[in-house]
Amino acid sequence: MEASYIMSAYLPQQLPPEEKPEIAFIGRSNVGKSSFLNALVNRKQLAFTGQKPGVTQMVNFFSVDSDFTLVDLPGYGYRQLPVAMSAQWQELVTAYLQRSVIKGFFFLRDVRREFDTTDIGLIKMLLEKAPIIIILTKIDKLKQNEKQRFLNSAQQHLEREGLVPKSVHLVSSLKKTGISEALDNLKALVQSS
Ligand SMILES: Nc1nc2c(ncn2[C@@H]2O[C@H](COP(=O)(O)OP(=O)(O)O)[C@@H](O)[C@H]2O)c(=O)[nH]1
Ligand SMILES: [Mg+2]
């Protein structure tokens, strides 16, 4: 799989023309979005990781095998901001979500944290557009015997909310756990029409 950086958009009007199918990554800042994207395409720093969340947020586009596009959406929930989602975040993400080339989403969540009302509201909104693959990140921080419990708890929470994702994965981008299963699901989304 050959991945390359295409461009970044800071403003809605900078979003590129709609061409290839797109899969977008969404989640709180620091959840491990960029690390997961890099792990999927097997590149160390294609998407920049560990960046200090800034006031300026952007949407980053990456081309994979000239077949489809991976889209790193700006993180939300910065503690530095007075509200969970800034007006700029909402404007940019809302504009992005209008695109008809979106085939699906990776929604990332730190495995040790619960979905809160912001996450649930966002998942509901995304599901109206396209299927979602839920990625529970940083599972290397769990003990072996805790993993199933955290997975069950996340699945039960989604079920209680009436939300049906395409799949839920336990992933460690650091240890490369769960990456190939997520990749299989990604390819299935890209090929769906
Ligand atoms: N232990 C562990 N740390 C991770 C993992 N993935 C990302 N991180 C760390 O979490 C921080 C945020 O990662 P990043 O990918 O930049 O998150 P983003 O803000 O969602 O794009 C960085 O310090 C990463 O090294 C993981 O699978 N395990
Ligand atoms: Mg990032």
Side-chain angles (χ1 to χ4, degrees):
M1 215 157 78
E2 203 49 53
S4 59
Y5 170 77
I6 306 173
M7 57 96 64
S8 302
Y10 298 84
L11 299 167
Q13 56 267 37
Q14 294 170 335
L15 291 168
E18 300 184 33
E19 285 165 359
K20 302 285 160 54
E22 293 181 357
I23 305 290
F25 297 66
I26 192 160
R28 291 182 171 262
S29 65
N30 226 36
V31 69
K33 277 189 313 298
S34 302
S35 302
F36 174 61
L37 194 156
N38 289 333
L40 277 177
V41 300
N42 200 20
R43 288 274 299 272
K44 280 214 171 66
Q45 280 283 55
L46 182 64
F48 289 111
T49 58
Q51 280 177 322
K52 273 260 166 62
V55 176
T56 310
Q57 303 191 300
M58 56 188 178
V59 184
N60 301 308
F61 293 82
F62 303 92
S63 170
V64 180
D65 293 341
S66 314
D67 284 343
F68 61 94
T69 304
L70 298 180
V71 183
D72 195 7
L73 293 173
Y76 60 94
Y78 299 140
R79 268 187 231 104
Q80 289 90 328
L81 293 174
V83 287
M85 294 171 181
S86 67
Q88 197 229 345
W89 186 95
Q90 290 204 21
E91 198 190 347
L92 194 53
V93 172
T94 303
Y96 174 76
L97 293 178
Q98 306 307 311
R99 293 165 78 82
S100 57
V101 285
I102 301 171
K103 290 287 191 167
F105 300 98
F106 279 115
F107 184 94
L108 286 84
R109 177 80 238 164
D110 185 311
V111 71
R112 297 161 300 172
R113 295 185 57 177
E114 296 247 328
F115 296 103
D116 64 16
T117 52
T118 305
D119 301 322
I120 295 294
L122 191 51
I123 292 171
K124 280 192 178 136
M125 187 174 90
L126 298 175
L127 274 173
E128 287 171 16
K129 284 287 308 181
I132 300 185
I133 298 172
I134 305 273
I135 301 294
L136 303 175
T137 66
K138 309 191 185 182
I139 65 156
D140 52 278
K141 298 203 175 185
L142 296 182
K143 299 194 182 81
Q144 188 56 36
N145 63 5
E146 291 177 318
K147 292 178 188 169
Q148 193 61 41
R149 181 161 58 81
F150 278 97
L151 178 64
N152 291 347
S153 147
Q155 279 171 328
Q156 283 160 12
H157 192 158
L158 293 169
E159 207 170 299
R160 276 200 307 279
E161 300 286 346
L163 303 174
V164 184
K166 183 171 158 61
S167 51
V168 183
H169 299 265
L170 292 170
V171 164
S172 165
S173 302
L174 191 70
K175 305 276 186 201
K176 306 278 187 282
T177 318
I179 300 296
S180 66
E181 293 84 349
L183 193 56
D184 289 345
N185 278 268
L186 162 67
K187 288 177 178 163
L189 279 188
V190 169
Q191 278 150 22
S192 69
S193 52

